[in-house]
Amino acid sequence: MDTIPGHGRYGYSALPQRPVYDWPEGRRLAVYVALNLETFDFGSGLGAELAPGGPQPDVLNYAWRDWGNRVGAFRLAEAFDGLRLPASVLVNSRLYADCPGLIEAFRARGDEIVGHGRTNAERQGPLDEAAERALIAEATATLTRHEGRAPAGWLGPWISQSRVTPDLLAEAGYRYLLDWAHDDQPVWFATRGGGRILSVPYPQELNDIPAIVARKDSARDFSDMIVDAFDEMLAQSAAAPLVMGIALHPYIVGQPHRLRPLRAALAHIASRRDDVWLTTAGGIADYAGRLPEVGG
């Protein structure tokens, strides 16, 4: 009987059949905010679109995205400060040169800095292995030089992976990746040479690009989704530990008409801080990586 080609990274595991464990202080729901800080090429390359783009240079969409780095990101930082929320900041390495002071503002908050490629004008998945390895090495070296330590986690630009991306990340020293939205718990991925790398759940539903740009959900729709997901996952976490991520982009939810309902949704979560673990993706990876109950 023919079999469907697989990825070979992890086996099937049904959530109700897994060992039950706790997050720190007996919590069962871990919540993290992933803030994507991205840079784009002017006149070429990829980029999310507020409206269908015209011929290059596509000033309408380029400027909309650039607004996020000049204005929206700082409004989000202020909102996080007011709610005492940590963040995992997913960083294109070229931002250090393109937007001096931007990443530094989040470093000053004590946020986790996560590798996110060089720029979101490109995907790494279509590259051959040598070129993809070079992309990872370049981005990692830049983040390490500026932050004083290597990033522990990686999200590919545009959630783009080749068949060897987990292998290359593990070989480059990464401890976790965020690209796969296949589970609500961390899962170990097998890598070549007998290695492994931890997959931390990253949201594609609670993500403002698919929700607001692709599906055309309103800001209040997105806010309601966050609140409903949180309340439901908190209830479900009585039976099993879960991870809830919220993926944000400053040029989308930093906009004033979207920021207000987003702030309300995050305030709802922050009001239950005694019942959940408000953390970072790296914090989840560090803790889960030491637990024998976490499987593949």
Side-chain angles (χ1 to χ4, degrees):
M1 182 175 180
D2 291 338
T3 59
I4 299 173
H7 48 72
R9 299 295 180 182
Y10 57 85
Y12 175 75
S13 172
L15 179 61
Q17 298 170 359
R18 300 177 199 166
V20 176
Y21 55 89
D22 292 336
W23 298 122
E25 299 182 1
R27 312 289 167 80
R28 285 286 183 81
L29 180 61
V31 181
Y32 77 96
V33 175
L35 180 65
N36 292 262
L37 297 184
E38 299 165 345
T39 186
F40 300 87
D41 294 350
F42 179 70
S44 65
L46 304 173
E49 294 184 338
L50 174 66
Q56 294 288 2
D58 180 3
V59 171
L60 185 157
N61 288 303
Y62 177 85
W64 172 61
R65 296 188 294 260
D66 203 31
W67 178 94
N69 291 333
R70 300 167 64 88
V71 181
F74 298 96
R75 288 182 175 161
L76 285 166
E78 184 178 20
F80 298 160
D81 285 343
L83 296 170
R84 293 185 293 125
L85 287 179
S88 292
V89 185
L90 283 44
V91 171
N92 286 167
S93 63
R94 291 182 184 172
L95 276 171
Y96 289 101
D98 291 352
C99 302
L102 173 59
I103 301 170
E104 290 82 350
F106 289 90
R107 180 199 307 152
R109 280 181 23 89
D111 289 327
E112 178 193 17
I113 305 300
V114 180
H116 191 31
R118 297 178 298 207
T119 167
N120 261 52
E122 63 183 357
R123 287 188 175 92
Q124 70 188 79
L127 302 176
D128 63 33
E129 183 169 338
E132 185 180 9
R133 182 185 294 108
L135 182 156
I136 293 169
E138 179 185 335
T140 304
T142 300
L143 267 64
T144 302
R145 183 172 68 253
H146 284 274
E147 300 304 320
R149 57 182 167 180
W154 179 274
L155 177 77
W158 295 98
I159 322 291
S160 177
Q161 286 202 352
S162 71
R163 291 187 177 274
V164 297
T165 300
D167 306 309
L168 294 175
L169 291 174
E171 290 161 7
Y174 282 88
R175 299 198 299 276
Y176 77 91
L177 54 80
L178 289 169
D179 301 86
W180 290 61
H182 69 296
D183 212 292
D184 284 345
Q185 291 183 347
V187 174
W188 283 110
F189 276 33
T191 60
R192 62 192 178 190
R196 64 180 187 171
I197 189 170
L198 193 65
S199 173
V200 174
Y202 180 82
Q204 287 304 325
E205 291 280 344
L206 296 185
N207 185 321
D208 55 7
I209 285 184
I212 294 172
V213 175
R215 296 195 301 267
K216 310 300 181 185
D217 293 334
S218 72
R220 296 203 182 278
D221 289 337
F222 187 58
S223 173
D224 289 345
M225 287 168 53
I226 293 171
V227 170
D228 288 345
F230 174 78
D231 289 347
E232 181 65 20
M233 294 187 79
L234 181 56
Q236 291 189 12
S237 68
L242 302 174
V243 173
M244 174 182 171
I246 305 166
L248 307 175
H249 297 75
Y251 55 89
I252 300 175
V253 292
Q255 300 284 345
H257 64 289
R258 297 193 184 104
L259 179 60
R260 185 164 290 254
L262 172 67
R263 189 189 292 113
L266 296 178
H268 176 78
I269 293 172
S271 72
R272 301 295 301 272
R273 67 175 64 248
D274 292 338
D275 302 316
V276 301
W277 183 29
L278 298 178
T279 185
T280 61
I284 294 166
D286 287 344
Y287 193 86
R290 298 191 297 268
L291 295 175
E293 298 89 348
V294 174

